[in-house]
Amino acid sequence: MAKRVLVVEDNELNLKLFCDLLRAHEFAAEAVRDGREAVARAREVMPDLIIMDIQMPHVTGYELILELKADETLRHIPVMAVTAYSGREDEERIRAAGAEAYVSKPISLARFMQAVGALV
């Protein structure tokens, strides 16, 4: 059975790229375009990994990571943050919130898949 990955990304091109790349590597990718739906979808899907954009409208990926890690049924799911923020302090803050991996944009496809493989 394919590993399930929930991709939370508001940018349509990035969302398609991530989902297509995951599917090409035999993952079952579930897309979430609006961060406000992310936690509810995570509860429904119970993915093996959550790929989280950090900079989104309405709710940030940082806030969502905090919410996911505070939830008893979801906290075990690894989170890979994907963000245009690339400063050392940004990475430390996002990892402190609970993200197990951090990949900065623009992404390297090989590095992206390497990070995914390390988490599932």
Side-chain angles (χ1 to χ4, degrees), residues 21-37:
L21 186 58
L22 289 162
R23 290 177 185 133
H25 285 85
E26 300 183 1
F27 289 92
E30 176 80 26
V32 175
R33 288 165 182 78
D34 188 332
R36 295 173 293 187
E37 301 169 10

Side-chain angles (χ1 to χ4, degrees), residues 26-101:
E26 300 183 1
F27 289 92
E30 176 80 26
V32 175
R33 288 165 182 78
D34 188 332
R36 295 173 293 187
E37 301 169 10
V39 175
R41 288 298 295 147
R43 284 191 188 105
E44 291 171 20
V45 174
M46 290 306 291
D48 298 290
L49 172 64
I50 298 171
I51 295 175
M52 180 73 65
D53 182 25
I54 297 300
Q55 192 172 2
M56 295 184 290
H58 310 297
V59 62
T60 69
Y62 174 79
E63 293 166 329
L64 290 171
I65 293 168
L66 291 172
E67 188 175 345
L68 289 164
K69 295 305 180 177
D71 187 299
E72 194 67 41
T73 61
L74 302 174
R75 70 170 41 140
H76 72 281
I77 301 169
V79 175
M80 183 172 100
V82 180
T83 181
Y85 298 132
S86 59
R88 182 85 182 126
E89 293 158 359
D90 295 317
E91 180 175 358
E92 289 171 0
R93 183 175 67 92
I94 290 165
R95 284 186 179 275
E100 284 81 2

